[in-house]
Amino acid sequence: MKIIIINGPNLNLLGKRETNIYGDLSFQEFFDELKEKNPTIKLSYFQSNIEGELIDKIQEVGFDYDGIILNAAAYTHTSIGIADAVAGITTPVIEVHISNTYSRESFRHKSYLAPNAKGIITGFGLQSYELALQSFL
Ligand code: DQA
């Protein structure tokens, strides 16, 4: 089974960025542990701060992989381009967020991706990614 985690802008700063909201573990540390726990899955990871690069990656994997775990970060709330990419592929996408976006500012309540996501997991810290992975399994 081939699953990819795709992270959007500023998530490269996890562990350093607003640690009261996002925690103090870097994504690489979390990802290494997740891979160790799930040795039979072909699990890969891609992060970009650039909208077009995220779209390119979604298109590249979106007809071949078994699942995409997507945290588009701020682009969740703004990007019709990423929403169209999610709508245009055949691989199921689970939208995840570390924080509970519905308990935060109102601009975070809107997701352009949600209508075409298989499901949404929000607010469980980095465990949101793990829950999404379990759902694909
Ligand atoms: C986030 C929530 C977004 O609103 C925010 O822009 C992020 C991270 C989360 O994982 O909680 O960068 O997607």
Side-chain angles (χ1 to χ4, degrees):
M1 177 171 262
K2 276 200 293 190
I3 306 279
I4 186 166
I5 295 175
I6 300 180
N7 271 347
N10 301 305
L11 293 172
N12 54 313
L13 293 182
L14 283 177
K16 292 185 196 154
R17 164 196 188 204
E18 296 176 282
T19 52
N20 55 322
I21 299 173
Y22 299 113
D24 49 21
L25 200 63
S26 75
F27 197 81
Q28 196 56 54
E29 284 171 278
F30 168 76
F31 182 68
D32 290 345
E33 277 175 27
L34 196 62
K35 275 187 87 158
E36 264 177 43
K37 282 192 216 165
N38 296 279
T40 56
I41 304 164
K42 285 191 189 150
L43 191 59
S44 53
Y45 169 53
F46 176 79
Q47 190 278 330
S48 177
N49 294 324
I50 299 165
E51 188 176 12
E53 287 186 0
L54 294 165
I55 293 170
D56 282 347
K57 183 53 79 175
I58 291 166
Q59 290 183 3
E60 182 192 317
V61 300
F63 297 90
D64 176 32
Y65 277 52
D66 300 297
I68 298 174
I69 298 170
L70 176 62
N71 186 348
Y75 287 142
T76 307
H77 319 299
T78 62
S79 177
I80 294 167
I82 295 178
D84 282 350
V86 170
I89 58 173
T90 52
T91 297
V93 174
I94 298 182
E95 174 182 336
V96 302
H97 299 284
I98 298 165
S99 61
N100 177 356
T101 50
Y102 296 97
S103 70
R104 300 180 65 192
E105 304 93 323
S106 58
F107 62 83
R108 295 184 206 277
H109 299 180
K110 166 78 186 167
S111 167
Y112 283 100
L113 319 180
N116 290 298
K118 186 168 190 274
I120 303 162
I121 301 174
T122 184
F124 294 91
L126 289 170
Q127 206 194 347
S128 294
Y129 294 90
E130 213 163 348
L131 293 169
L133 185 62
Q134 273 168 26
S135 145
F136 278 129
L137 303 182

